[in-house]
Amino acid sequence: MIDDLWYKNGVIYCLSVGTYMDANGDGVGDFKGLLRRLDYLHGLGITAIWLMPFQPSPGRDDGYDITDYYGVDPRYGTLGDFVEFTHGCKQRGLRVIIDLVVNHTSDQHHWFREARRSKDSFYRDWYVWSDKRPANANTGMVFPGVQKSTWSRDKEAGAWYFHRFYDFQPDLNTSNPHVQAEILKIMGFWIQLGVSGFRMDAVPFIIATKGANVRKPVEQYDMLRAFREFLQWRQGNAIILAEANVLPKTDMEYFGRDGDRMHMMFNFHVNQHLFYALASADSRPLAKSLAATKPRPATAQWGLFLRNHDELDLGRLTKAQRNAVFKAFGPDKDMQLYDRGIRRRLAPMLGGDRRRLELAYSLMCTLPGTPVIRYGDELGMGDNLELPERNCARTPMQWSTEPHAGFTEGDRPCLPLIDKGPYGYEHVNAAKQRRDPNSMLNWTERIVRMRKEVPEVGWGDFRVIATRDPAVLVIRYDWRNNSVLFVHNLDERPREIAFAVGLPGDAGKLLVNLLSEDHSRANKRGRHRLLLEGYGYRWYRIGGLDYLLKRSDIDSDTSGKAAQPA
Ligand code: GLC
């Protein structure tokens, strides 16, 4: 059971084939290159790779505009290379999930070309049309500032078509049974080729009713159940990880009250409040967001992330909270995007401060869910704000000090490598960090290993433990008679805190530190007192090692002295 539900206690790593490793020197990463890097990923300890879209595409939205769902873009290799890659993953016990982008196609997809050709085309009804310009054409844009409308006129069709995203991404009419059947067929195809599931793109838009007369789109949640059922008939342990930035009150609609819809969802709600907590050193809104997203079926799981390939979307914070995050992490206009977010990478946002980076990662690994790491963040890679929109945080992986960071032997990388400043590849690269036991890379490897050893986080029930200090978040997990406890100091100043673990009897007397020898024993009143360094964090297993209870050198009042880097 534990291992069947592999996504409950895994660590996911996302990457884009095109910017990871180029084997043939044409400047574009490919499956052959990625295959060579599987031992690196295996060494990092991740359990699943999430591949961003790699299917044939004109590449106007980094592959999220697909022209053929059943192929591999020739720049990345062939279907044969893809199968070699999934085989290599299987050999190492790594799972693969891939992006499933079925809210829309590229306008170059043959379905759309056929559809626009004539009203009688079989594919006409695969898209969403209107003879006249709909009244709401100027509303609902996902990329405000860049995208001007959600309906555009197609000359050839003599009609308007709906596009929730850019105008070159016509929305599929997902209510059409033919389209629904095709979506299942796409899933079935890739499952057959060895993937363990899908990161489903833009789910709320896929299931929404679409059309010129739709004033308020209605979600057709039953579609989610149909996707899941199909998947599980074909392969029992395959999953869907939904991209759905929705309000907590609708979470259960996505998971399904009986756990019969999405297996996983990204926790956008916690993500935004986590950044607010990091910006303000106030853990209370974060604790609230954890409580708000707590209800979920036992088999469901949150995907927890810090940064992804898109902007850090702060749209669900209050204006004051959002401004606080902008001020701390993206004060300049060119760091911000779409009136709602920050487009930078994690390390530059946190000023390259190793203590803060560890704090952020430690939180991601210990909040309820399965962590999702963005490629390059394990090295503390930076961004290039000269590149447009979200591309600034999509630069190629920095492998070594060789030209173009060892990403390509060619002289024209698809996106420029970061070669200037403190995040330039001469300073930040995998080869260098591999040799340094204290590097971010080796720290990440250790924290990933430890995260996998505390399945309580993935499986257990959690509660936030009260302290009097809003700068400190204490969270306890219980699962199968085991408990673990995590403490994070969001403030740059040291804090002293006292708390009771809250378990009956002697159970919470001893906190065994999982990352250092700095254990803690409760005082006579059953309270632990900790002295936490600025941005300090602790991972404890509760009780267990009885012999430690007898050791006199462990005393709650003196513990917490050491700021041991893990
Ligand atoms: C999702 C992707 C984003 C893409 C959009 C359109 O939000 O994460 O990168 O641009 O969908 O497919």
Side-chain angles (χ1 to χ4, degrees), residues 326-340:
F326 277 141
K327 194 166 163 226
F329 301 138
D332 300 348
K333 265 275 162 256
D334 78 333
M335 298 170 174
Q336 302 170 8
L337 197 59
Y338 310 136
D339 306 329
R340 60 168 180 247

Side-chain angles (χ1 to χ4, degrees), residues 336-388:
Q336 302 170 8
L337 197 59
Y338 310 136
D339 306 329
R340 60 168 180 247
I342 300 180
R343 64 190 189 117
R344 308 174 82 190
R345 275 242 189 207
L346 183 68
M349 273 203 294
L350 300 181
D353 185 336
R354 176 67 181 267
R355 296 169 309 159
R356 292 189 100 177
L357 285 167
E358 287 187 19
L359 176 78
Y361 260 79
S362 173
L363 279 162
M364 175 177 74
C365 287
T366 60
L367 294 178
T370 290
V372 184
I373 302 175
R374 167 127 175 93
Y375 83 88
D377 279 0
E378 75 273 28
L379 308 175
M381 261 173 62
D383 48 41
N384 177 356
L385 293 174
E386 284 167 17
L387 297 175

Side-chain angles (χ1 to χ4, degrees), residues 152 185 290 490:
S152 292
K185 196 159 128 189
L290 294 172
L490 301 165

